[in-house]
Amino acid sequence: MVRLNALLDGWTLLLAAAVAAHALSAPFTKVEESFNLQATHDLLYHRTHLDTYDHLEFPGVVPRTFMGPLALAAAAAPAVLPMHALGLPKLASLLAVRLLLGAITVASMALLQRTIRRHFGAVTAAAFMLCTALQFHLPFYLSRTLPNVLAMPLTNAGLACWLEGGDSPAAIYLLTAAAVVFRCDVILLVGLVGLHLLASRRITLKRGVAHGLAAIAASLALSCPVDSLFWGRWLWPEGEVLAFNTLFNRSHEWGVMPGHWYLTSALPRALHAAYPLAPLGALLERRVRAPLAVALAFVLLYSNLGHKEVRFLFPVLPLWNLAAAAALQRLWLRRRKSAARRLALLAALAALAAGLALTLVTAAASRHNYPGGDALRQLHAAAAPDAAAAAAAGRSLRVHIGVLPAMTGVSRFGEAGAPWEYSKAEGLTTEQLAQQHFDFLLTDQPQVQGYGQLAAAHGFQRLQLRSRRPREVLRSLLRGQLPVQVVLKPQVFVQRRLDL
């Protein structure tokens, strides 16, 4: 049993604070997070009334597992149900769910850190958490309901078991469960870790295959019955995802990046200073060479798939940070530092500071990437008199939510109760919207015939320098301001029917 105080050290709390700050700064979610978030909402609020669940109306391109939302809803229920009973807005429940998920994923990072401390030392463990906390991508996404994030408690625990050494098959079971239930692409990590276990003679081929098959069978025995119940047909969700991406090769429909994109764009943005530090760590500390080799091989294998996203690399980002932390440990603890080592240490610390500045800029921009969620909140505030009048008259207010707001922050956690009714019907023209007599529209159109603009939600457009003069840039820094500022533009408009 892992002692709680072994996980809650200051470096873990630093990462937890970074995750919580991102969640509070940008509480809304995008379309990639939609299924797990909507499913968690429905489990909390609709419970056994499966016919009212969102996925039956909007199933998505491929089915996803309910295992993550079930676990998340069960864990969040003690906080969410009292909030609901007290009449608190659902936004509070959304934050509760996200903060809980963030706590779970941070705990898995702390478990990995605990293994690093035991085998690589306290300085390496601290540097591992510091590198992670100062980056943007992992802290920003660790509280978001992406399948990649829901898989991370299992992948982090599996990596911790692998780094622990010994002949325990726990790493095979944990990583295989993550692949079978949450993200089929983790099978690449299972294979690479398995090859290392074989090469290091920690497991035999016969024993490894037996444990792998047992892990697959156990995972399927959990996922298939549960997911078949919720989807209304027999299925293995990740099996259909695997077929979609490989057998039918349709992932390219969501965009194709060049083969070098992960190495030249995704990893530098995700890792910041840890990217150049990782190979240095492998050079200085031979024990991190195998973890970094596995991480690099995972990236190279994944680069063969045309559709690429940073989140696909989440399972191996901790391994890159481990190698970078080993470099920082060697540079920091070296008793007799040459001029070259002192310079390298100063360069590493400067890179960490630059990475933090980049994180602050990126976070400032990213918090404005959810105009749909903000527009729905503005609708409820601006149309409160209309809602009160409709409730008194016993009639409903019908809202149509367009594609852009639906993809940029609108979720069931943002909806209010009666008299509001919401429609996300797709493919309707402005004439059809008028014919169906929606009372309000959330749309990307600033003008719609028969409607008047009630409010507008602004979204991120670009970054620009506050000043091109070095003296003014220095003054901004001394005042605690970033030298760049976020430029916004109206993106989602709240339209009210003129004859309402």
Side-chain angles (χ1 to χ4, degrees):
M1 188 77 175
V2 178
R3 293 175 58 187
L4 184 61
N5 62 357
L7 298 180
L8 293 179
D9 66 354
W11 299 105
T12 302
L13 294 176
L14 174 65
L15 177 58
V19 172
H22 284 299
L24 295 172
S25 174
F28 300 116
T29 56
K30 279 196 174 181
V31 64
E32 296 89 350
E33 309 156 59
S34 178
F35 168 76
N36 288 304
L37 189 74
Q38 307 283 41
T40 302
H41 169 278
D42 293 342
L43 287 163
L44 287 168
Y45 288 95
H46 298 314
R47 301 171 199 172
T48 59
H49 300 289
L50 301 187
D51 58 319
T52 62
Y53 278 38
D54 184 82
H55 72 286
L56 298 178
E57 185 177 1
F58 301 99
V61 179
V62 288
R64 289 293 183 183
T65 181
F66 268 83
M67 296 299 292
L70 274 168
L72 194 55
V80 171
L81 296 183
M83 291 179 181
H84 181 55
L86 293 172
L88 295 179
K90 285 185 179 180
L91 180 59
S93 300
L94 171 61
L95 286 171
V97 167
R98 286 196 52 196
L99 291 174
L100 175 67
L101 176 58
I104 294 170
T105 51
V106 168
S108 72
M109 295 292 293
L111 184 66
L112 188 53
Q113 180 211 22
R114 181 173 176 264
T115 299
I116 293 171
R117 181 187 296 114
R118 185 160 49 248
H119 291 275
F120 297 91
V123 174
T124 304
F128 168 76
M129 291 301 253
L130 178 63
C131 285
T132 306
L134 295 182
Q135 291 162 0
F136 171 76
H137 277 87
L138 278 181
F140 184 80
Y141 283 102
L142 283 181
S143 68
R144 295 187 170 275
T145 53
L146 292 165
N148 317 74
V149 174
L150 293 176
M152 284 197 75
L154 290 175
T155 58
N156 284 339
L159 292 176
C161 293
W162 172 50
L163 294 174
E164 194 69 59
D167 59 357
S168 171
I172 295 176
Y173 280 91
L174 290 164
L175 293 175
T176 302
V180 172
V181 177
F182 292 107
R183 285 294 306 185
C184 58
D185 48 12
V186 177
I187 196 67
L188 295 176
L189 187 57
V190 177
L192 292 168
V193 169
L195 287 175
H196 179 265
L197 293 175
L198 289 172
S200 58
R201 298 183 179 181
R202 288 168 52 184
I203 198 168
T204 64
L205 179 61
K206 181 179 179 180
R207 187 165 172 255
V209 170
H211 285 303
L213 292 175
I216 292 173
S219 301
L220 290 175
L222 283 174
S223 174
C224 290
V226 170
D227 291 315
S228 298
L229 171 66
F230 283 100
W231 284 98
R233 61 183 176 90
W234 280 101
L235 83 164
W236 168 33
E238 280 307 297
E240 296 197 14
V241 174
L242 183 63
F244 181 88
N245 289 332
T246 57
L247 183 63
F248 303 117
N249 192 28
R250 291 186 56 192
S251 64
H252 68 277
E253 296 175 9
W254 276 259
V256 174
M257 296 293 184
H260 59 80
W261 186 80
Y262 281 135
L263 293 173
T264 58
S265 179
L267 285 174
R269 289 184 290 115
L271 295 170
H272 297 177
Y275 192 41
L277 284 172
L280 178 61
L283 180 66
L284 298 176
E285 173 58 80
R286 62 178 179 81
R287 292 177 298 171
V288 301
R289 291 170 188 169
L292 185 60
V294 165
L296 179 60
F298 182 91
V299 173
L300 294 177
L301 288 171
Y302 220 137
S303 296
N304 292 303
L305 190 65
H307 179 59
K308 299 176 176 65
E309 294 188 38
V310 176
R311 60 189 174 96
F312 296 162
L313 304 185
F314 282 3
V316 297
L317 291 186
L319 297 179
W320 290 88
N321 284 334
L322 165 60
L328 290 171
Q329 187 265 355
R330 285 302 189 95
L331 293 174
W332 183 264
L333 288 185
R334 189 77 174 181
R335 291 184 178 180
R336 295 182 179 179
K337 294 186 177 69
S338 63
R341 283 186 179 270
R342 289 194 182 94
L343 184 61
L345 178 59
L346 288 175
L349 295 177
L352 288 174
L356 174 59
L358 181 59
T359 292
L360 294 175
V361 172
T362 310
S366 296
R367 68 185 297 266
H368 297 290
N369 272 334
Y370 306 88
D374 187 37
L376 187 58
R377 183 165 54 181
Q378 289 190 43
L379 165 66
H380 294 144
D386 293 301
R395 65 180 184 86
S396 61
L397 290 177
R398 300 177 64 235
V399 183
H400 181 265
I401 298 167
V403 174
L404 179 63
M407 295 178 64
T408 58
V410 170
S411 75
R412 288 193 168 187
F413 277 105
E415 296 177 355
W420 295 102
E421 293 181 1
Y422 306 89
S423 169
K424 291 190 289 184
E426 299 179 1
L428 299 181
T429 64
T430 54
E431 291 79 9
Q432 290 172 324
L433 289 173
Q435 291 171 2
Q436 295 196 24
H437 294 284
F438 286 105
D439 299 300
F440 295 91
L441 308 177
L442 262 63
T443 175
D444 59 355
Q445 299 299 316
Q447 294 181 339
V448 178
Q449 185 176 2
Y451 291 84
Q453 190 181 125
L454 186 64
H458 290 67
F460 173 77
Q461 182 181 22
R462 68 179 189 277
L463 294 171
Q464 71 177 22
L465 290 172
R466 293 183 183 274
S467 175
R468 296 182 180 276
R469 298 177 180 178
R471 182 180 298 178
E472 294 298 325
V473 171
L474 180 60
R475 287 178 180 175
S476 296
L477 292 172
L478 292 176
R479 290 195 298 266
Q481 293 180 333
L482 293 173
V484 296
Q485 60 184 359
V486 178
V487 178
L488 306 177
K489 70 173 183 179
Q491 292 184 355
V492 177
F493 303 90
V494 180
Q495 305 282 5
R496 180 182 186 274
R497 189 157 54 88
L498 293 175
D499 60 350
L500 180 63

